[in-house]
Amino acid sequence: QVQLVESGGGLVQSGGSLRLSCAASGRTGSTYRMGWFRQAPGKEREFVAAIAWRSSNRDYRDSVKGRFTVSRDNAKNTVYLQMNSLKPEDTAVYYCATHLFGGSGWDYWGQGTQVTVSS
């Protein structure tokens, strides 16, 4: 089992910045990669960014490239999402997820943190 706890969400004006954190506990030694997803009201959950736990590989959805940066601190079992130049369309609940070695995909999820960008 892995427990994920997100923090750092809030209300920010368009063009502003926020930094999300996701702390993992439990079976963290089997982490393959960690990622961020988001879900806006009335929409499906979508992939935002992911980072490999043992290499420098990072992936981003096109709409956040150049604005968002995913990073990690292996010693703290924490993944971060630095979000700059935020837009109202970035408003959503942001979820952290982990993909374990040998897992079937995104195996565990956090409870989510709300990000609201006002215009």
Side-chain angles (χ1 to χ4, degrees):
Q1 291 280 350
V2 176
Q3 294 78 42
L4 302 173
V5 178
E6 301 102 332
S7 60
L11 172 65
V12 64
Q13 289 188 334
S14 181
S17 299
L18 282 175
R19 188 194 194 205
L20 305 182
S21 300
C22 174
S25 61
R27 195 180 139 202
T28 58
S30 299
T31 303
Y32 170 58
R33 58 176 178 166
M34 292 188 72
W36 291 95
F37 293 74
R38 65 187 182 187
Q39 186 168 20
K43 296 186 177 181
E44 293 187 353
R45 188 174 298 187
E46 63 184 20
F47 169 80
V48 176
I51 185 168
W53 210 244
R54 303 179 186 181
S55 76
S56 59
N57 289 343
R58 291 172 170 83
D59 292 310
Y60 298 93
R61 72 177 298 105
D62 286 345
S63 63
V64 307
K65 286 180 180 177
R67 299 189 299 122
F68 290 12
T69 302
V70 61
S71 62
R72 54 175 165 73
D73 185 332
N74 292 45
K76 295 182 179 180
N77 290 313
T78 300
V79 64
Y80 304 96
L81 186 67
Q82 178 66 44
M83 305 185 293
N84 298 330
S85 301
L86 282 161
K87 305 175 181 180
E89 50 264 43
D90 294 318
T91 294
V93 177
Y94 283 71
Y95 297 90
C96 167
T98 185
H99 179 185
L100 304 182
F101 280 100
S104 59
W106 296 102
D107 303 291
Y108 296 95
W109 294 81
Q111 82 288 350
T113 185
Q114 177 70 46
V115 171
T116 303
V117 184
S118 63
S119 57

